[in-house]
Amino acid sequence: MAEVRRRRARGGVARTREALLQAAAEIFAERGYDGASVDEIAGTAGVSVGSIYSRFGSKRDLFRELMSEYMERDLARVRDGFAAGPEGGLRVLDDLLQETAASRRQTLLDAETWASAMRSPRLRSMLAEHENGVRSAAAELVQQERAATGHELGMPDDEFAVVLTALFHGLCRQHRLAPGSVPRGLYARTVLALARGLAEQPPGADRPGH
Amino acid sequence: MAEVRRRRARGGVARTREALLQAAAEIFAERGYDGASVDEIAGTAGVSVGSIYSRFGSKRDLFRELMSEYMERDLARVRDGFAAGPEGGLRVLDDLLQETAASRRQTLLDAETWASAMRSPRLRSMLAEHENGVRSAAAELVQQERAATGHELGMPDDEFAVVLTALFHGLCRQHRLAPGSVPRGLYARTVLALARGLAEQPPGADRPGH
DNA sequence: GTCTATAGCATGATAGAC
DNA sequence: GTCTATCATGCTATAGAC
């Protein structure tokens, strides 16, 4: 190996960095962090192994940089989506779910990020902060919606946001395992039904009458 | 290494197998499949590397066997829980969530299983069959509940079952990342509210009236 | 069936030319 | 900054004694 040069980006000054990050995304996703070799990453990017060490310092630092950029893009997208208001935000989330769940690379990187975060304090705090940002955006949206309609939710905003993100990740996982089992729109339908069910009943009561 | 002998099970005839499986669960969880070495697994079990190959054939076969036993136990537990009826089943699921989410080893193995399944057709079909069994049990429970109360759900049973398992796995992930964000009972509360919200509204209509 | 010892190979990282 | 060549290490798997 080390002679692969599959997709060398010509003429770029700092194009090496871009090519390495893209190759890293592909190889880390497909093989996992430990299964991925710097040799294959460099080969896929069309550069030499040495580039990784001169640009990023180490394999782990390359992975961290990849995760960092990925989280930044993800959070920006969620925020932009939510800026469209409650209705728009929900549709954007459903689209994001379909797109994320449909992408093998994205879902595998998601899982790898979580697993790596569980084993490294630094990655863990990075991921925790990112998910905190996503939940904050969701909670803020819920709060706006409640102020606009006057409906109480019957659940704290942050708990509702936790459920939103948990359902998102869970459906991604499920969709990857058995694509047919998660039809488009299921996420939005579920969230709307959940909001109705929460509004209908005060938190303390347990199924009276029915 | 290879001289560790931390927890050699004395006197057992086929106790080697048990010790190896337990050690494998610990090491595979903590380091991931590729990060785990047969040497450390054998050392933790208190046996030699050769034992792994005489008992299981290869590292991958050891992992498969571990996953197989784990899935079997998991499915049995879910079925037993659901046998207690709808109310009991929901509480059992909430307990199972708290226990699973609280176990670092269990959640890491869950993630490792999913990731490995994404990369190996054989493991993938094993996991898909397992989750299919869990969803079937859940769908059957929903069907019984509907027959008993006469309430329509407003969503196909299998889709509802998908949401149930997705929420379960998503909350596990979330709980591991930020334990305080998933209080006990959140799962049960969410599922009950979701069922209410689904029952209230026919599938086709979108937020009429109020 | 379980041990010790080792083969055979792939890996992450570095050195030094350019 | 990027290359090629190489080092040192760690790995899975096997051989052969018991």
Side-chain angles (χ1 to χ4, degrees):
Chain A
M1 290 209 195
E3 304 284 354
V4 181
R5 316 224 166 187
R6 263 170 51 194
R7 55 182 71 160
R8 171 61 159 174
R10 319 241 147 206
V13 226
R15 192 66 74 86
T16 297
R17 177 193 159 89
E18 208 83 14
L20 273 175
L21 282 173
Q22 189 168 342
E26 178 180 339
I27 306 302
F28 278 137
E30 212 52 49
R31 315 247 185 257
Y33 177 80
D34 284 299
S37 74
V38 290
D39 209 88
E40 187 177 7
I41 293 173
T44 302
V47 298
S48 68
V49 233
S51 304
I52 292 182
Y53 292 90
S54 67
R55 284 269 173 189
F56 297 96
S58 72
K59 181 186 180 183
R60 183 147 288 270
D61 285 334
L62 169 60
F63 184 71
R64 265 199 281 263
E65 190 61 24
L66 178 67
M67 290 302 99
S68 184
E69 295 217 347
Y70 154 73
M71 290 176 193
E72 203 171 341
R73 272 196 297 268
D74 193 50
L75 185 55
R77 173 152 189 191
V78 169
R79 284 207 169 115
D80 288 355
F82 282 171
E87 301 284 338
L90 191 55
R91 202 183 53 240
V92 165
L93 259 187
D94 204 297
D95 288 348
L96 188 61
L97 174 67
Q98 290 296 327
E99 180 183 320
T100 305
S103 163
R104 172 178 172 88
R105 185 179 304 181
Q106 194 80 353
T107 44
L108 282 171
L109 273 182
D110 257 338
E112 202 60 33
T113 301
W114 184 87
S116 298
M118 289 298 104
R119 294 168 189 136
S120 150
R122 181 156 168 205
L123 282 176
R124 185 194 179 100
S125 65
M126 280 175 60
L127 182 58
E129 187 188 7
H130 169 253
E131 302 234 340
N132 208 36
V134 173
R135 286 203 311 276
S136 295
E140 191 180 350
L141 192 78
V142 171
Q143 188 182 354
Q144 288 175 9
E145 168 77 354
R146 191 185 46 204
T149 66
H151 286 158
E152 279 305 318
L153 195 56
M155 178 182 274
D157 290 356
D158 54 340
E159 283 187 12
F160 189 72
V162 165
V163 170
L164 286 188
T165 61
L167 189 62
F168 185 95
H169 288 293
L171 284 178
C172 278
R173 178 198 152 113
Q174 196 59 44
H175 185 276
R176 267 286 115 197
L177 195 61
S181 64
V182 184
R184 178 175 288 271
L186 178 61
Y187 185 71
R189 254 188 296 146
T190 303
V191 171
L192 287 176
L194 177 60
R196 280 198 305 270
L198 284 171
E200 186 191 342
Q201 207 83 8
D206 47 348
R207 9 175 57 220
H210 81 262
Chain B
M1 289 207 196
E3 303 285 353
V4 180
R5 316 224 168 189
R6 262 171 51 195
R7 56 182 70 159
R8 171 61 162 175
R10 321 239 147 207
V13 227
R15 191 65 73 86
T16 298
R17 177 193 157 90
E18 208 82 15
L20 272 174
L21 283 173
Q22 189 168 342
E26 178 180 340
I27 306 301
F28 278 136
E30 212 52 50
R31 316 246 184 256
Y33 177 80
D34 284 299
S37 75
V38 289
D39 209 88
E40 187 177 7
I41 293 173
T44 302
V47 298
S48 67
V49 230
S51 305
I52 291 181
Y53 292 90
S54 67
R55 285 270 173 188
F56 298 95
S58 71
K59 180 186 179 182
R60 182 147 290 269
D61 284 334
L62 169 60
F63 184 71
R64 266 198 281 262
E65 190 62 24
L66 177 67
M67 290 302 97
S68 183
E69 295 217 347
Y70 154 72
M71 290 175 192
E72 204 171 340
R73 274 196 297 268
D74 193 50
L75 185 55
R77 173 152 189 190
V78 169
R79 283 207 169 116
D80 287 354
F82 282 170
E87 301 284 337
L90 191 55
R91 202 183 52 240
V92 165
L93 259 187
D94 204 299
D95 288 348
L96 189 61
L97 173 67
Q98 289 296 326
E99 181 183 319
T100 305
S103 164
R104 172 178 171 88
R105 185 178 305 180
Q106 194 80 355
T107 43
L108 282 171
L109 273 182
D110 257 337
E112 202 60 33
T113 301
W114 184 86
S116 299
M118 288 299 104
R119 294 169 189 134
S120 151
R122 181 156 169 207
L123 282 175
R124 184 193 180 100
S125 64
M126 279 176 60
L127 182 58
E129 188 189 5
H130 169 254
E131 302 233 342
N132 208 35
V134 173
R135 285 202 311 276
S136 296
E140 191 179 348
L141 192 78
V142 171
Q143 189 182 352
Q144 288 175 9
E145 168 78 353
R146 191 185 46 203
T149 66
H151 286 160
E152 280 304 318
L153 196 55
M155 178 181 274
D157 289 356
D158 54 341
E159 283 188 12
F160 189 73
V162 165
V163 170
L164 285 188
T165 60
L167 189 62
F168 186 94
H169 288 292
L171 284 179
C172 279
R173 179 197 150 113
Q174 196 60 43
H175 185 275
R176 267 287 113 196
L177 195 61
S181 64
V182 185
R184 178 175 288 270
L186 178 61
Y187 185 72
R189 254 188 297 147
T190 303
V191 171
L192 287 176
L194 177 61
R196 279 199 305 271
L198 284 170
E200 186 191 342
Q201 208 85 7
D206 45 350
R207 357 175 71 215
H210 68 277

